[in-house]
Amino acid sequence: MSSIASKSMLAMVTLAGAVSLGGCATKSYVREQIAPVSHRVDTLEAKLQETDGTAKSALQEAQAASGQAQNNGQRLDQLSGRVDGIDQRLTAQEQKRAKRPRH
């Protein structure tokens, strides 16, 4: 091959490569391609915020219920002590009646 032929072949390959690699995306093309993804992200973000609000509300209700359950447990403990005391007095009275001789 002659040096002129090889130089022109090299120039054509370089030119073809430059033309094929020169296709940069335009801003409008990129916006078109990203728009559906952006819309989905926005939708998911809104759902996430809604779910977060629901979760926080549920947590507050659970904490309130836990406090009420503790209150109820304390009241039950107090009532159990009172019932035990009444039961002991009743048992003692029954034992006194059983020890008395009947006439």
Side-chain angles (χ1 to χ4, degrees):
M1 228 195 232
S2 72
S3 95
I4 295 177
S6 84
K7 285 182 184 179
S8 51
M9 181 68 96
L10 180 63
M12 285 178 25
V13 169
T14 304
L15 182 62
V19 168
S20 68
L21 294 176
C24 293
T26 63
K27 288 182 183 180
S28 62
Y29 175 79
V30 171
R31 285 186 192 128
E32 285 176 18
Q33 298 303 311
I34 291 181
V37 175
S38 179
H39 178 70
R40 287 182 65 194
V41 168
D42 291 343
T43 302
L44 290 174
E45 224 171 49
K47 286 182 181 180
L48 178 62
Q49 287 177 353
E50 180 183 340
T51 302
D52 187 48
T54 302
K56 286 179 180 177
S57 175
L59 177 61
Q60 288 174 348
E61 289 176 17
Q63 288 172 336
S66 174
Q68 187 63 41
Q70 284 181 331
N71 242 2
N72 291 344
Q74 290 173 350
R75 290 184 65 205
L76 280 173
D77 289 343
Q78 292 170 353
L79 291 174
S80 292
R82 289 178 65 188
V83 168
D84 288 344
I86 291 170
D87 189 39
Q88 288 173 356
R89 284 188 286 178
L90 185 59
T91 302
Q93 287 178 356
E94 287 174 354
Q95 287 175 353
K96 283 183 184 179
R97 286 186 193 157
K99 289 183 182 179
R100 289 186 194 165
R102 291 191 174 187
H103 298 299

